[in-house]
Amino acid sequence: MSSKKALTSGPFFVPLSVDGTRFGAVQFLLIGFKNIASHTSTVRLTVYNCRDTVLYPATPPEEEIYCKKVTIPAGDCAVIRLDAGPDTFGGNNMLRVAIKGDTDKDAEAIVIALSGNTADGRQALSMVFKHEEFIELNED
């Protein structure tokens, strides 16, 4: 059984458009989970947004926009869809996704993947993260 770990994506930008048109706006973030353990596993998913992308030395706050406990039976998968909007995220926001619980970089329990998509299903390449691209956090 894996130990409780915390992982985070690096910060990533939501593009204003994937193709330069208003139809290319990112409409939702898909967060996929797969439990590869032989037991039921649970993680806490948190999505953060830094809405103001002003240049340093300004330091706008990162705010929590979504938090959910996710429990997945052994061998099963789940997908969470977080829609873009005024209370979540929009183009030119900087997001970060963190998970804590039954997961780790060695993928002994729940593994995760992210994808930002347009209404017609096109992916924003800057918003695609595989499990191995997540960073392990030091928990104090």
Side-chain angles (χ1 to χ4, degrees), residues 18-59:
V18 299
D19 63 5
T21 71
R22 64 184 174 96
F23 302 107
V26 173
Q27 297 295 316
F28 53 90
L29 174 66
L30 292 178
I31 305 165
F33 299 95
K34 171 70 176 166
N35 185 359
I36 60 174
S38 59
H39 54 85
T40 296
S41 297
T42 300
V43 293
R44 186 182 77 226
L45 163 70
T46 310
V47 181
Y48 300 93
N49 188 347
C50 191
R51 293 181 197 281
D52 297 319
T53 54
V54 294
L55 297 178
Y56 184 81
T59 55

Side-chain angles (χ1 to χ4, degrees), residues 13-27 90-93 118 124 126-127:
F13 286 99
V14 179
L16 292 173
S17 174
V18 299
D19 63 5
T21 71
R22 64 184 174 96
F23 302 107
V26 173
Q27 297 295 316
N92 210 32
N93 286 171
T118 63
S126 64
M127 296 177 67

Side-chain angles (χ1 to χ4, degrees), residues 12-15 26 29 89 95 114-116 124-129:
F12 57 94
F13 286 99
V14 179
V26 173
L29 174 66
F89 69 90
L95 303 181
L114 307 177
S115 175
L125 296 180
S126 64
M127 296 177 67
V128 175
F129 281 83

